[in-house]
Amino acid sequence: MNHQWSKARTGPAEARAFAITPPQIVGPFYPITECPDLASDLARPSGSTAEAQGQLIYVSGRVLASSGAPVPQARIDIWQANAAGKYRHPSDTNRAPLDPNFKGFARLTTDTSGRYSFRTIKPGAYPTPEGDIRPPHIHMSVEGRFDRLVTQLYFAGEAENLTDRWLNAAPHPERLIITLQEPASRLEGCALAAHFDIILASG
Ligand SMILES: [Fe+2]
């Protein structure tokens, strides 16, 4: 549930303002050696028909200003672990294997309505050097014309969501949790879909 809103205190009586998406830390695994995939598809290497391992998912939504106005041409960087919980990053000491078909880094641009979508696999949970188990999550950095937000989205039903200190440090953790569902129209195979709107303070 990420698109909560409340009535604005100023402006027209019917004007509505959306609650800003809670920020999260960048974390240690922002890609430094990889080029982003610009095709909105993290689950398949560019120019290949091979598929990454894991549950295929589609994530889509809109980038909006808190006024409700869409943010066109916003840049969204996405990075995440593979299905085994491993980042393709030199700082990741997790012993889980890399997936040769999963790079885990993409860059999107919203359309004129602020819409975005991408195809990926559900990431795995992973241990941190401090002994935490991080629940499955996807990192996102969203840059509009006037504002930038770094956050993480999480998946409903994960036991580690209840104990993850980064998720639970958010003022409204529930706004960062998406629910995977059967798509309204069959996408492909066993793919699941989820919706995640991202609200910036200003466009
Ligand atoms: Fe992470």
Side-chain angles (χ1 to χ4, degrees), residues 68-117:
V71 182
Q73 304 302 312
R75 191 182 90 175
I76 307 177
D77 280 358
I78 299 162
W79 68 104
Q80 64 167 92
N82 66 22
K86 177 76 173 180
Y87 285 86
R88 189 175 292 278
H89 192 287
S91 297
D92 189 356
T93 58
N94 181 8
R95 293 184 179 181
L98 286 170
D99 180 342
N101 298 319
F102 189 71
K103 191 161 66 175
F105 181 29
R107 178 167 292 166
L108 320 176
T109 303
T110 58
D111 68 11
T112 55
S113 300
R115 295 185 189 282
Y116 76 90
S117 65

mmCIF file of all heavy atoms in Angstrom, residues 68-117:
data_model
loop_
_atom_site.group_PDB
_atom_site.id
_atom_site.type_symbol
_atom_site.label_atom_id
_atom_site.label_comp_id
_atom_site.label_asym_id
_atom_site.label_seq_id
_atom_site.Cartn_x
_atom_site.Cartn_y
_atom_site.Cartn_z
ATOM 1 N N GLY A 68 0.173 15.628 -6.646
ATOM 2 C CA GLY A 68 -0.540 14.683 -7.494
ATOM 3 C C GLY A 68 -0.174 14.819 -8.958
ATOM 4 O O GLY A 68 -0.578 13.987 -9.769
ATOM 5 N N ALA A 69 0.601 15.846 -9.292
ATOM 6 C CA ALA A 69 0.995 16.036 -10.694
ATOM 7 C C ALA A 69 2.010 14.977 -11.101
ATOM 8 O O ALA A 69 2.923 14.670 -10.338
ATOM 9 C CB ALA A 69 1.594 17.431 -10.879
ATOM 10 N N PRO A 70 1.864 14.407 -12.289
ATOM 11 C CA PRO A 70 2.855 13.431 -12.753
ATOM 12 C C PRO A 70 4.210 14.077 -12.985
ATOM 13 O O PRO A 70 4.290 15.275 -13.274
ATOM 14 C CB PRO A 70 2.256 12.911 -14.066
ATOM 15 C CG PRO A 70 1.300 13.960 -14.495
ATOM 16 C CD PRO A 70 0.783 14.616 -13.257
ATOM 17 N N VAL A 71 5.253 13.282 -12.838
ATOM 18 C CA VAL A 71 6.614 13.765 -13.071
ATOM 19 C C VAL A 71 7.145 13.071 -14.325
ATOM 20 O O VAL A 71 7.620 11.932 -14.258
ATOM 21 C CB VAL A 71 7.530 13.483 -11.869
ATOM 22 C CG1 VAL A 71 8.923 14.052 -12.131
ATOM 23 C CG2 VAL A 71 6.941 14.058 -10.588
ATOM 24 N N PRO A 72 7.053 13.750 -15.483
ATOM 25 C CA PRO A 72 7.570 13.137 -16.703
ATOM 26 C C PRO A 72 9.085 13.220 -16.760
ATOM 27 O O PRO A 72 9.702 14.075 -16.129
ATOM 28 C CB PRO A 72 6.928 13.986 -17.807
ATOM 29 C CG PRO A 72 6.727 15.324 -17.177
ATOM 30 C CD PRO A 72 6.450 15.063 -15.712
ATOM 31 N N GLN A 73 9.671 12.311 -17.489
ATOM 32 C CA GLN A 73 11.128 12.312 -17.721
ATOM 33 C C GLN A 73 11.930 12.194 -16.426
ATOM 34 O O GLN A 73 13.069 12.661 -16.360
ATOM 35 C CB GLN A 73 11.555 13.573 -18.488
ATOM 36 C CG GLN A 73 10.832 13.764 -19.816
ATOM 37 C CD GLN A 73 11.034 12.579 -20.761
ATOM 38 O OE1 GLN A 73 12.161 12.124 -20.947
ATOM 39 N NE2 GLN A 73 9.956 12.053 -21.323
ATOM 40 N N ALA A 74 11.339 11.612 -15.412
ATOM 41 C CA ALA A 74 12.107 11.342 -14.192
ATOM 42 C C ALA A 74 13.045 10.168 -14.465
ATOM 43 O O ALA A 74 12.676 9.215 -15.159
ATOM 44 C CB ALA A 74 11.179 11.005 -13.029
ATOM 45 N N ARG A 75 14.231 10.228 -13.909
ATOM 46 C CA ARG A 75 15.188 9.134 -14.089
ATOM 47 C C ARG A 75 15.106 8.201 -12.884
ATOM 48 O O ARG A 75 15.170 8.670 -11.740
ATOM 49 C CB ARG A 75 16.606 9.676 -14.221
ATOM 50 C CG ARG A 75 17.603 8.616 -14.685
ATOM 51 C CD ARG A 75 18.999 9.160 -14.761
ATOM 52 N NE ARG A 75 19.706 8.971 -13.488
ATOM 53 C CZ ARG A 75 20.976 9.268 -13.291
ATOM 54 N NH1 ARG A 75 21.683 9.804 -14.270
ATOM 55 N NH2 ARG A 75 21.557 9.066 -12.121
ATOM 56 N N ILE A 76 14.965 6.922 -13.143
ATOM 57 C CA ILE A 76 14.883 5.931 -12.067
ATOM 58 C C ILE A 76 16.019 4.934 -12.230
ATOM 59 O O ILE A 76 16.097 4.239 -13.242
ATOM 60 C CB ILE A 76 13.544 5.173 -12.089
ATOM 61 C CG1 ILE A 76 12.363 6.147 -12.084
ATOM 62 C CG2 ILE A 76 13.460 4.225 -10.896
ATOM 63 C CD1 ILE A 76 11.007 5.456 -12.185
ATOM 64 N N ASP A 77 16.901 4.869 -11.262
ATOM 65 C CA ASP A 77 17.918 3.829 -11.213
ATOM 66 C C ASP A 77 17.407 2.715 -10.307
ATOM 67 O O ASP A 77 16.885 2.985 -9.214
ATOM 68 C CB ASP A 77 19.234 4.366 -10.646
ATOM 69 C CG ASP A 77 20.041 5.130 -11.691
ATOM 70 O OD1 ASP A 77 19.603 5.205 -12.856
ATOM 71 O OD2 ASP A 77 21.107 5.664 -11.332
ATOM 72 N N ILE A 78 17.564 1.486 -10.764
ATOM 73 C CA ILE A 78 17.105 0.311 -10.020
ATOM 74 C C ILE A 78 18.285 -0.627 -9.843
ATOM 75 O O ILE A 78 18.991 -0.909 -10.812
ATOM 76 C CB ILE A 78 16.008 -0.431 -10.808
ATOM 77 C CG1 ILE A 78 14.801 0.487 -11.022
ATOM 78 C CG2 ILE A 78 15.583 -1.725 -10.111
ATOM 79 C CD1 ILE A 78 13.896 -0.018 -12.132
ATOM 80 N N TRP A 79 18.509 -1.079 -8.625
ATOM 81 C CA TRP A 79 19.541 -2.103 -8.425
ATOM 82 C C TRP A 79 19.080 -3.062 -7.340
ATOM 83 O O TRP A 79 18.373 -2.667 -6.414
ATOM 84 C CB TRP A 79 20.910 -1.486 -8.142
ATOM 85 C CG TRP A 79 21.106 -0.747 -6.846
ATOM 86 C CD1 TRP A 79 21.774 -1.181 -5.745
ATOM 87 C CD2 TRP A 79 20.667 0.591 -6.532
ATOM 88 N NE1 TRP A 79 21.780 -0.222 -4.774
ATOM 89 C CE2 TRP A 79 21.117 0.876 -5.227
ATOM 90 C CE3 TRP A 79 19.943 1.568 -7.213
ATOM 91 C CZ2 TRP A 79 20.852 2.098 -4.588
ATOM 92 C CZ3 TRP A 79 19.661 2.778 -6.588
ATOM 93 C CH2 TRP A 79 20.126 3.023 -5.296
ATOM 94 N N GLN A 80 19.463 -4.305 -7.477
ATOM 95 C CA GLN A 80 18.955 -5.332 -6.562
ATOM 96 C C GLN A 80 19.842 -6.565 -6.591
ATOM 97 O O GLN A 80 20.634 -6.772 -7.513
ATOM 98 C CB GLN A 80 17.522 -5.720 -6.965
ATOM 99 C CG GLN A 80 17.445 -6.358 -8.347
ATOM 100 C CD GLN A 80 16.103 -7.023 -8.609
ATOM 101 O OE1 GLN A 80 15.200 -6.394 -9.144
ATOM 102 N NE2 GLN A 80 15.986 -8.305 -8.243
ATOM 103 N N ALA A 81 19.670 -7.398 -5.580
ATOM 104 C CA ALA A 81 20.346 -8.694 -5.524
ATOM 105 C C ALA A 81 19.659 -9.676 -6.469
ATOM 106 O O ALA A 81 18.509 -9.479 -6.876
ATOM 107 C CB ALA A 81 20.305 -9.236 -4.094
ATOM 108 N N ASN A 82 20.359 -10.757 -6.794
ATOM 109 C CA ASN A 82 19.732 -11.809 -7.603
ATOM 110 C C ASN A 82 18.847 -12.690 -6.704
ATOM 111 O O ASN A 82 18.684 -12.426 -5.505
ATOM 112 C CB ASN A 82 20.788 -12.608 -8.378
ATOM 113 C CG ASN A 82 21.714 -13.427 -7.472
ATOM 114 O OD1 ASN A 82 21.379 -13.739 -6.328
ATOM 115 N ND2 ASN A 82 22.884 -13.782 -7.986
ATOM 116 N N ALA A 83 18.314 -13.746 -7.279
ATOM 117 C CA ALA A 83 17.373 -14.589 -6.531
ATOM 118 C C ALA A 83 18.023 -15.288 -5.343
ATOM 119 O O ALA A 83 17.348 -15.704 -4.402
ATOM 120 C CB ALA A 83 16.748 -15.619 -7.475
ATOM 121 N N ALA A 84 19.364 -15.400 -5.388
ATOM 122 C CA ALA A 84 20.085 -16.040 -4.279
ATOM 123 C C ALA A 84 20.533 -15.014 -3.237
ATOM 124 O O ALA A 84 21.197 -15.378 -2.254
ATOM 125 C CB ALA A 84 21.293 -16.798 -4.819
ATOM 126 N N GLY A 85 20.208 -13.745 -3.452
ATOM 127 C CA GLY A 85 20.586 -12.720 -2.483
ATOM 128 C C GLY A 85 21.984 -12.162 -2.680
ATOM 129 O O GLY A 85 22.593 -11.656 -1.733
ATOM 130 N N LYS A 86 22.503 -12.229 -3.907
ATOM 131 C CA LYS A 86 23.866 -11.785 -4.208
ATOM 132 C C LYS A 86 23.842 -10.589 -5.169
ATOM 133 O O LYS A 86 23.186 -10.647 -6.207
ATOM 134 C CB LYS A 86 24.652 -12.935 -4.844
ATOM 135 C CG LYS A 86 26.065 -12.592 -5.282
ATOM 136 C CD LYS A 86 27.024 -12.496 -4.119
ATOM 137 C CE LYS A 86 28.471 -12.333 -4.591
ATOM 138 N NZ LYS A 86 29.409 -12.227 -3.442
ATOM 139 N N TYR A 87 24.586 -9.529 -4.800
ATOM 140 C CA TYR A 87 24.732 -8.376 -5.691
ATOM 141 C C TYR A 87 25.954 -8.566 -6.581
ATOM 142 O O TYR A 87 26.982 -9.096 -6.128
ATOM 143 C CB TYR A 87 24.945 -7.089 -4.890
ATOM 144 C CG TYR A 87 23.713 -6.548 -4.228
ATOM 145 C CD1 TYR A 87 23.327 -7.005 -2.975
ATOM 146 C CD2 TYR A 87 22.951 -5.572 -4.844
ATOM 147 C CE1 TYR A 87 22.203 -6.503 -2.347
ATOM 148 C CE2 TYR A 87 21.820 -5.057 -4.234
ATOM 149 C CZ TYR A 87 21.457 -5.525 -2.987
ATOM 150 O OH TYR A 87 20.336 -5.026 -2.373
ATOM 151 N N ARG A 88 25.862 -8.080 -7.785
ATOM 152 C CA ARG A 88 27.039 -8.057 -8.660
ATOM 153 C C ARG A 88 27.828 -6.800 -8.312
ATOM 154 O O ARG A 88 27.789 -5.775 -8.993
ATOM 155 C CB ARG A 88 26.602 -8.061 -10.132
ATOM 156 C CG ARG A 88 27.758 -8.263 -11.113
ATOM 157 C CD ARG A 88 27.243 -8.370 -12.539
ATOM 158 N NE ARG A 88 26.485 -9.595 -12.763
ATOM 159 C CZ ARG A 88 27.021 -10.791 -13.026
ATOM 160 N NH1 ARG A 88 28.327 -10.908 -13.117
ATOM 161 N NH2 ARG A 88 26.256 -11.843 -13.214
ATOM 162 N N HIS A 89 28.513 -6.848 -7.186
ATOM 163 C CA HIS A 89 29.224 -5.678 -6.659
ATOM 164 C C HIS A 89 30.450 -6.163 -5.883
ATOM 165 O O HIS A 89 30.346 -7.118 -5.099
ATOM 166 C CB HIS A 89 28.305 -4.874 -5.741
ATOM 167 C CG HIS A 89 28.829 -3.532 -5.393
ATOM 168 N ND1 HIS A 89 29.876 -3.344 -4.511
ATOM 169 C CD2 HIS A 89 28.468 -2.290 -5.812
ATOM 170 C CE1 HIS A 89 30.133 -2.056 -4.402
ATOM 171 N NE2 HIS A 89 29.299 -1.395 -5.188
ATOM 172 N N PRO A 90 31.596 -5.521 -6.063
ATOM 173 C CA PRO A 90 32.811 -6.004 -5.399
ATOM 174 C C PRO A 90 32.750 -5.946 -3.874
ATOM 175 O O PRO A 90 33.525 -6.645 -3.205
ATOM 176 C CB PRO A 90 33.911 -5.089 -5.956
ATOM 177 C CG PRO A 90 33.197 -3.908 -6.528
ATOM 178 C CD PRO A 90 31.856 -4.387 -6.967
ATOM 179 N N SER A 91 31.869 -5.151 -3.317
ATOM 180 C CA SER A 91 31.770 -5.058 -1.863
ATOM 181 C C SER A 91 30.881 -6.129 -1.244
ATOM 182 O O SER A 91 30.792 -6.222 -0.016
ATOM 183 C CB SER A 91 31.239 -3.678 -1.452
ATOM 184 O OG SER A 91 32.134 -2.666 -1.835
ATOM 185 N N ASP A 92 30.206 -6.910 -2.084
ATOM 186 C CA ASP A 92 29.296 -7.923 -1.538
ATOM 187 C C ASP A 92 30.085 -9.182 -1.194
ATOM 188 O O ASP A 92 30.579 -9.886 -2.080
ATOM 189 C CB ASP A 92 28.194 -8.243 -2.536
ATOM 190 C CG ASP A 92 27.116 -9.116 -1.908
ATOM 191 O OD1 ASP A 92 27.284 -9.525 -0.739
ATOM 192 O OD2 ASP A 92 26.101 -9.393 -2.581
ATOM 193 N N THR A 93 30.203 -9.477 0.092
ATOM 194 C CA THR A 93 30.967 -10.643 0.559
ATOM 195 C C THR A 93 30.098 -11.871 0.786
ATOM 196 O O THR A 93 30.588 -12.913 1.234
ATOM 197 C CB THR A 93 31.710 -10.303 1.865
ATOM 198 O OG1 THR A 93 30.752 -9.886 2.845
ATOM 199 C CG2 THR A 93 32.722 -9.182 1.638
ATOM 200 N N ASN A 94 28.796 -11.754 0.516
ATOM 201 C CA ASN A 94 27.903 -12.900 0.643
ATOM 202 C C ASN A 94 28.398 -14.036 -0.275
ATOM 203 O O ASN A 94 28.739 -13.799 -1.431
ATOM 204 C CB ASN A 94 26.484 -12.461 0.240
ATOM 205 C CG ASN A 94 25.456 -13.574 0.369
ATOM 206 O OD1 ASN A 94 25.749 -14.645 0.890
ATOM 207 N ND2 ASN A 94 24.254 -13.302 -0.094
ATOM 208 N N ARG A 95 28.438 -15.250 0.235
ATOM 209 C CA ARG A 95 28.968 -16.370 -0.541
ATOM 210 C C ARG A 95 27.975 -16.934 -1.539
ATOM 211 O O ARG A 95 28.278 -17.887 -2.258
ATOM 212 C CB ARG A 95 29.429 -17.481 0.402
ATOM 213 C CG ARG A 95 30.630 -17.086 1.233
ATOM 214 C CD ARG A 95 31.110 -18.266 2.071
ATOM 215 N NE ARG A 95 32.282 -17.921 2.864
ATOM 216 C CZ ARG A 95 32.912 -18.769 3.663
ATOM 217 N NH1 ARG A 95 32.454 -20.002 3.789
ATOM 218 N NH2 ARG A 95 33.957 -18.389 4.354
ATOM 219 N N ALA A 96 26.781 -16.412 -1.582
ATOM 220 C CA ALA A 96 25.788 -16.893 -2.550
ATOM 221 C C ALA A 96 26.318 -16.689 -3.972
ATOM 222 O O ALA A 96 27.125 -15.781 -4.222
ATOM 223 C CB ALA A 96 24.468 -16.149 -2.355
ATOM 224 N N PRO A 97 25.888 -17.522 -4.904
ATOM 225 C CA PRO A 97 26.443 -17.444 -6.273
ATOM 226 C C PRO A 97 25.876 -16.289 -7.082
ATOM 227 O O PRO A 97 24.731 -15.867 -6.891
ATOM 228 C CB PRO A 97 26.010 -18.781 -6.879
ATOM 229 C CG PRO A 97 24.746 -19.125 -6.144
ATOM 230 C CD PRO A 97 24.934 -18.622 -4.744
ATOM 231 N N LEU A 98 26.700 -15.776 -7.990
ATOM 232 C CA LEU A 98 26.216 -14.853 -8.999
ATOM 233 C C LEU A 98 25.394 -15.627 -10.019
ATOM 234 O O LEU A 98 25.613 -16.828 -10.228
ATOM 235 C CB LEU A 98 27.381 -14.153 -9.699
ATOM 236 C CG LEU A 98 28.097 -13.064 -8.899
ATOM 237 C CD1 LEU A 98 29.382 -12.652 -9.629
ATOM 238 C CD2 LEU A 98 27.190 -11.860 -8.694
ATOM 239 N N ASP A 99 24.480 -14.942 -10.640
ATOM 240 C CA ASP A 99 23.702 -15.514 -11.744
ATOM 241 C C ASP A 99 24.241 -14.874 -13.025
ATOM 242 O O ASP A 99 24.153 -13.659 -13.186
ATOM 243 C CB ASP A 99 22.216 -15.165 -11.547
ATOM 244 C CG ASP A 99 21.333 -15.708 -12.649
ATOM 245 O OD1 ASP A 99 21.853 -16.050 -13.735
ATOM 246 O OD2 ASP A 99 20.107 -15.771 -12.436
ATOM 247 N N PRO A 100 24.818 -15.659 -13.928
ATOM 248 C CA PRO A 100 25.401 -15.063 -15.132
ATOM 249 C C PRO A 100 24.396 -14.299 -15.980
ATOM 250 O O PRO A 100 24.786 -13.466 -16.803
ATOM 251 C CB PRO A 100 25.965 -16.277 -15.887
ATOM 252 C CG PRO A 100 25.222 -17.446 -15.345
ATOM 253 C CD PRO A 100 24.912 -17.116 -13.918
ATOM 254 N N ASN A 101 23.129 -14.580 -15.785
ATOM 255 C CA ASN A 101 22.095 -13.911 -16.583
ATOM 256 C C ASN A 101 21.406 -12.787 -15.836
ATOM 257 O O ASN A 101 20.365 -12.291 -16.279
ATOM 258 C CB ASN A 101 21.057 -14.942 -17.050
ATOM 259 C CG ASN A 101 21.660 -15.988 -17.938
ATOM 260 O OD1 ASN A 101 22.487 -15.670 -18.793
ATOM 261 N ND2 ASN A 101 21.294 -17.240 -17.719
ATOM 262 N N PHE A 102 21.992 -12.391 -14.713
ATOM 263 C CA PHE A 102 21.363 -11.318 -13.953
ATOM 264 C C PHE A 102 22.393 -10.273 -13.562
ATOM 265 O O PHE A 102 23.288 -10.528 -12.764
ATOM 266 C CB PHE A 102 20.679 -11.863 -12.692
ATOM 267 C CG PHE A 102 19.838 -10.830 -12.002
ATOM 268 C CD1 PHE A 102 18.651 -10.391 -12.566
ATOM 269 C CD2 PHE A 102 20.246 -10.272 -10.795
ATOM 270 C CE1 PHE A 102 17.882 -9.426 -11.949
ATOM 271 C CE2 PHE A 102 19.482 -9.316 -10.176
ATOM 272 C CZ PHE A 102 18.291 -8.887 -10.739
ATOM 273 N N LYS A 103 22.242 -9.090 -14.144
ATOM 274 C CA LYS A 103 23.153 -7.994 -13.846
ATOM 275 C C LYS A 103 22.633 -7.163 -12.681
ATOM 276 O O LYS A 103 23.388 -6.669 -11.867
ATOM 277 C CB LYS A 103 23.333 -7.144 -15.098
ATOM 278 C CG LYS A 103 24.447 -6.130 -14.989
ATOM 279 C CD LYS A 103 24.882 -5.657 -16.376
ATOM 280 C CE LYS A 103 23.797 -4.880 -17.092
ATOM 281 N NZ LYS A 103 24.248 -4.326 -18.373
ATOM 282 N N GLY A 104 21.329 -6.962 -12.640
ATOM 283 C CA GLY A 104 20.729 -6.327 -11.480
ATOM 284 C C GLY A 104 20.778 -4.823 -11.440
ATOM 285 O O GLY A 104 20.702 -4.228 -10.360
ATOM 286 N N PHE A 105 20.905 -4.167 -12.595
ATOM 287 C CA PHE A 105 21.003 -2.709 -12.630
ATOM 288 C C PHE A 105 20.313 -2.207 -13.887
ATOM 289 O O PHE A 105 20.632 -2.645 -14.998
ATOM 290 C CB PHE A 105 22.480 -2.302 -12.631
ATOM 291 C CG PHE A 105 22.758 -0.818 -12.648
ATOM 292 C CD1 PHE A 105 21.879 0.098 -12.095
ATOM 293 C CD2 PHE A 105 23.933 -0.333 -13.208
ATOM 294 C CE1 PHE A 105 22.157 1.465 -12.096
ATOM 295 C CE2 PHE A 105 24.233 1.021 -13.219
ATOM 296 C CZ PHE A 105 23.330 1.924 -12.661
ATOM 297 N N ALA A 106 19.358 -1.304 -13.709
ATOM 298 C CA ALA A 106 18.656 -0.738 -14.863
ATOM 299 C C ALA A 106 18.396 0.741 -14.637
ATOM 300 O O ALA A 106 18.372 1.214 -13.492
ATOM 301 C CB ALA A 106 17.342 -1.469 -15.114
ATOM 302 N N ARG A 107 18.219 1.445 -15.720
ATOM 303 C CA ARG A 107 17.887 2.881 -15.649
ATOM 304 C C ARG A 107 16.680 3.121 -16.551
ATOM 305 O O ARG A 107 16.689 2.776 -17.729
ATOM 306 C CB ARG A 107 19.079 3.733 -16.091
ATOM 307 C CG ARG A 107 18.790 5.232 -16.085
ATOM 308 C CD ARG A 107 20.085 6.013 -16.209
ATOM 309 N NE ARG A 107 20.897 5.835 -14.997
ATOM 310 C CZ ARG A 107 22.189 6.171 -14.925
ATOM 311 N NH1 ARG A 107 22.796 6.698 -15.970
ATOM 312 N NH2 ARG A 107 22.852 5.984 -13.790
ATOM 313 N N LEU A 108 15.655 3.722 -15.966
ATOM 314 C CA LEU A 108 14.406 3.986 -16.670
ATOM 315 C C LEU A 108 14.158 5.481 -16.736
ATOM 316 O O LEU A 108 14.726 6.256 -15.962
ATOM 317 C CB LEU A 108 13.218 3.349 -15.935
ATOM 318 C CG LEU A 108 13.370 1.975 -15.310
ATOM 319 C CD1 LEU A 108 12.082 1.624 -14.569
ATOM 320 C CD2 LEU A 108 13.670 0.958 -16.369
ATOM 321 N N THR A 109 13.268 5.865 -17.612
ATOM 322 C CA THR A 109 12.795 7.248 -17.667
ATOM 323 C C THR A 109 11.276 7.211 -17.723
ATOM 324 O O THR A 109 10.699 6.465 -18.535
ATOM 325 C CB THR A 109 13.337 7.975 -18.911
ATOM 326 O OG1 THR A 109 14.767 7.903 -18.897
ATOM 327 C CG2 THR A 109 12.916 9.434 -18.908
ATOM 328 N N THR A 110 10.621 8.010 -16.897
ATOM 329 C CA THR A 110 9.162 8.008 -16.921
ATOM 330 C C THR A 110 8.643 8.670 -18.196
ATOM 331 O O THR A 110 9.298 9.540 -18.775
ATOM 332 C CB THR A 110 8.576 8.740 -15.701
ATOM 333 O OG1 THR A 110 9.077 10.086 -15.670
ATOM 334 C CG2 THR A 110 8.957 8.040 -14.416
ATOM 335 N N ASP A 111 7.438 8.271 -18.594
ATOM 336 C CA ASP A 111 6.852 8.849 -19.805
ATOM 337 C C ASP A 111 6.146 10.165 -19.460
ATOM 338 O O ASP A 111 6.279 10.689 -18.347
ATOM 339 C CB ASP A 111 5.921 7.838 -20.478
ATOM 340 C CG ASP A 111 4.658 7.548 -19.680
ATOM 341 O OD1 ASP A 111 4.384 8.274 -18.688
ATOM 342 O OD2 ASP A 111 3.943 6.599 -20.043
ATOM 343 N N THR A 112 5.392 10.686 -20.376
ATOM 344 C CA THR A 112 4.762 12.001 -20.176
ATOM 345 C C THR A 112 3.716 11.980 -19.065
ATOM 346 O O THR A 112 3.343 13.024 -18.546
ATOM 347 C CB THR A 112 4.110 12.490 -21.473
ATOM 348 O OG1 THR A 112 3.201 11.479 -21.939
ATOM 349 C CG2 THR A 112 5.164 12.758 -22.542
ATOM 350 N N SER A 113 3.234 10.789 -18.705
ATOM 351 C CA SER A 113 2.273 10.664 -17.602
ATOM 352 C C SER A 113 2.946 10.260 -16.300
ATOM 353 O O SER A 113 2.270 9.948 -15.326
ATOM 354 C CB SER A 113 1.201 9.625 -17.955
ATOM 355 O OG SER A 113 0.495 9.996 -19.118
ATOM 356 N N GLY A 114 4.277 10.239 -16.302
ATOM 357 C CA GLY A 114 5.009 9.843 -15.105
ATOM 358 C C GLY A 114 5.068 8.345 -14.904
ATOM 359 O O GLY A 114 5.490 7.866 -13.846
ATOM 360 N N ARG A 115 4.675 7.587 -15.905
ATOM 361 C CA ARG A 115 4.615 6.123 -15.744
ATOM 362 C C ARG A 115 5.972 5.464 -16.019
ATOM 363 O O ARG A 115 6.752 5.946 -16.828
ATOM 364 C CB ARG A 115 3.571 5.523 -16.692
ATOM 365 C CG ARG A 115 2.181 5.957 -16.385
ATOM 366 C CD ARG A 115 1.153 5.238 -17.268
ATOM 367 N NE ARG A 115 -0.168 5.825 -17.102
ATOM 368 C CZ ARG A 115 -0.968 5.605 -16.075
ATOM 369 N NH1 ARG A 115 -0.597 4.752 -15.135
ATOM 370 N NH2 ARG A 115 -2.140 6.191 -15.987
ATOM 371 N N TYR A 116 6.164 4.353 -15.311
ATOM 372 C CA TYR A 116 7.356 3.536 -15.529
ATOM 373 C C TYR A 116 6.962 2.073 -15.375
ATOM 374 O O TYR A 116 5.917 1.760 -14.785
ATOM 375 C CB TYR A 116 8.464 3.886 -14.509
ATOM 376 C CG TYR A 116 8.185 3.321 -13.133
ATOM 377 C CD1 TYR A 116 8.628 2.051 -12.770
ATOM 378 C CD2 TYR A 116 7.418 4.037 -12.215
ATOM 379 C CE1 TYR A 116 8.342 1.506 -11.530
ATOM 380 C CE2 TYR A 116 7.127 3.492 -10.974
ATOM 381 C CZ TYR A 116 7.589 2.226 -10.632
ATOM 382 O OH TYR A 116 7.298 1.681 -9.405
ATOM 383 N N SER A 117 7.770 1.179 -15.869
ATOM 384 C CA SER A 117 7.589 -0.242 -15.601
ATOM 385 C C SER A 117 8.908 -0.951 -15.882
ATOM 386 O O SER A 117 9.722 -0.467 -16.676
ATOM 387 C CB SER A 117 6.470 -0.851 -16.460
ATOM 388 O OG SER A 117 6.820 -0.816 -17.826
#
